[in-house]
Structures are given as structure tokens and as C-alpha cells.
């Protein structure tokens, strides 16, 4: 049961991150690379995006 809840939380974080990547003002290539990173590495991709991507787009 715990793994199901963790999986749902990871899925929700991935959807949240991908939505914000797509609606950001970043270049198309950056959006594609971030989205692929989040899809290929679900946990690490979301963590990397929260650390680097979300703040990087806000200042650009």
C-alpha cells in the first residue's frame, strides 16, 4: 500500500513539473530536454527541475 501512495506522489510531481515546463518561457529545446529528463528519470528529473529548472525560468 505504501508503494502505491509513493508512486502516486511521484506521478503527481511529474505532472506538475511537466506542466510548468511546458507553460514556461523557456526555449523549445529546453522544454523538450526538461520534459525528457523528467520522463526518463522520474524522481531525479523532478528533483533536478525543482532545484535548477523552476528557478532558472523565473529569472530568465
Amino acid at each position: 500500500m505504501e508503494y502505491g501512495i509513493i508512486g502516486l506522489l511521484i506521478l503527481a510531481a511529474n505532472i506538475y513539473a511537466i506542466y510548468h515546463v511546458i507553460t514556461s518561457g523557456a526555449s523549445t529545446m529546453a522544454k523538450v530536454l526538461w520534459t525528457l529528463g523528467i520522463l526518463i528519470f522520474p524522481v531525479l528529473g523532478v528533483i533536478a527541475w525543482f532545484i535548477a529548472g523552476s528557478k532558472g525560468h523565473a529569472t530568465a
Side-chain angles (χ1 to χ4, degrees):
M1 180 82 173
E2 300 86 26
Y3 293 117
I5 294 171
I6 292 171
L8 285 175
L9 290 174
I10 292 171
L11 177 64
N14 286 338
I15 292 170
Y16 175 82
I18 290 171
Y19 172 77
H20 282 282
V21 166
I22 292 172
T23 59
S24 72
S27 68
T28 303
M29 182 58 72
K31 289 180 183 182
V32 169
L33 291 175
W34 274 115
T35 302
L36 284 175
I38 292 168
L39 290 174
I40 293 171
F41 305 106
V43 176
L44 294 176
V46 169
I47 292 171
W49 180 80
F50 278 122
I51 292 172
S54 62
K55 293 174 183 41
H57 298 306
T59 59

